[in-house]
Amino acid sequence: EDLVVRTADGSRESDSSGLLSLILPFALGLFISFALMSASSYLLRAVTDEKENRTIEIMTTSVSPKEFIVGKAAGLVGVALTQVILWGVVVVAGLAAVAAFTDALSGIEIPWGLVGVLAAFFVPLFVLAVALVVMLGVVVADSRQGQQLVGVVNIFFLLPLFFSPFLGSNPDGPLMVFLTLFPSTSLLTVAVRWSATVIPVWQLIAAWVILVACAGLGFWAAPRVFRQGMLRYGKRMSLRG
């Protein structure tokens, strides 16, 4: 009962009853990241399967590469949001059940500011992930190679977890700032740092602008890569085209 949890910069502290309020931002960011990666893996399998069974050739007779990617992204957003909502309902129901029988959650505070920030980061990050996955799907020769590559790509989304020990010593250090500004790690790093320090507003704005720019670049490049690789049945693309 004498436990006091204080952030590294000393700006916030909480007793043991409010410990969950400090853990919640990290859990929320991790939850969204896993939902995004799960949806991306599903899209990769869909693209590679359609390339292998030649369905893409039929689809491209009636839609353009840009329309194909927009349609895939829209459908995937629906799948991801449905998954997030279902998981959220389960978590809320579980917390409500715990709160009904114990006072352990009496000090928890929902970080609505973080929820809004993560929502703003989620959309462009999702677009970037879709663009990367579509390009991987048309570049590789089959789904097995695609699964191997998407595993490597997912590591770039989870890099903040590998550097989480730095939160206790220097959450505002150059490494954590870099991960905040780096497009694929921005969302999870913001969630991780939110529970440990006060993130400067300029870093949040700069990270969001960089992420939106990279998402736009990826959305511009994906149809062009798709156009080059959609008819390469069983072949891997090269830089020469």
Side-chain angles (χ1 to χ4, degrees):
E1 296 181 358
D2 296 331
L3 177 65
V4 176
V5 181
R6 183 180 295 108
T7 56
D9 61 354
S11 61
R12 288 179 293 172
E13 67 177 30
S14 175
D15 57 13
S16 57
S17 63
L19 180 59
L20 286 177
S21 298
L22 299 178
I23 299 176
L24 187 59
F26 175 82
L28 185 60
L30 193 62
F31 171 77
I32 295 177
S33 298
F34 276 117
L36 185 146
M37 289 186 296
S38 175
S40 299
S41 298
Y42 174 81
L43 176 60
L44 178 66
R45 289 195 299 269
V47 173
T48 53
D49 288 345
E50 290 172 356
K51 180 182 178 181
E52 290 182 29
N53 59 27
R54 316 298 286 270
T55 304
I56 285 182
E57 298 179 18
I58 300 175
M59 297 178 63
T60 51
T61 60
S62 57
V63 298
S64 67
K66 184 176 181 179
E67 292 172 339
F68 174 83
I69 293 175
V70 171
K72 286 290 186 183
L76 193 60
V77 166
V79 173
L81 290 179
T82 301
Q83 189 177 36
V84 169
I85 291 173
L86 289 177
W87 288 354
V89 169
V90 172
V91 171
V92 171
L95 292 177
V98 172
F101 296 98
T102 181
D103 296 331
L105 302 179
S106 59
I108 191 171
E109 296 179 2
I110 299 178
W112 293 112
L114 174 63
V115 172
V117 170
L118 294 185
F121 275 77
F122 176 78
V123 175
L125 183 62
F126 198 90
V127 172
L128 177 61
V130 168
L132 291 176
V133 168
V134 169
M135 287 189 285
L136 281 177
V138 297
V139 166
V140 298
D142 51 48
S143 58
R144 182 179 58 84
Q145 295 177 355
Q147 291 296 330
Q148 294 173 349
L149 287 178
V150 80
V152 176
V153 173
N154 285 340
I155 293 178
F156 287 94
F157 288 90
L158 295 177
L159 274 178
L161 297 181
F162 298 97
F163 298 102
S164 56
F166 287 93
L167 289 175
S169 58
N170 194 8
D172 295 320
L175 177 60
M176 301 307 296
V177 173
F178 171 77
L179 292 176
T180 301
L181 300 177
F182 193 73
S184 65
T185 59
S186 57
L187 185 148
L188 185 55
T189 305
V190 167
V192 169
R193 291 182 64 196
W194 194 279
S195 60
T197 185
V198 177
I199 305 176
V201 176
W202 74 265
Q203 293 183 17
L204 295 175
I205 296 175
W208 187 82
V209 170
I210 293 173
L211 178 58
V212 170
C214 291
L217 179 62
F219 194 75
W220 172 85
R224 288 160 176 77
V225 175
F226 177 81
R227 186 181 296 111
Q228 294 294 325
M230 62 184 176
L231 299 180
R232 294 177 177 270
Y233 177 75
K235 297 181 180 180
R236 180 184 301 176
M237 283 185 60
S238 63
L239 293 177
R240 295 180 179 179

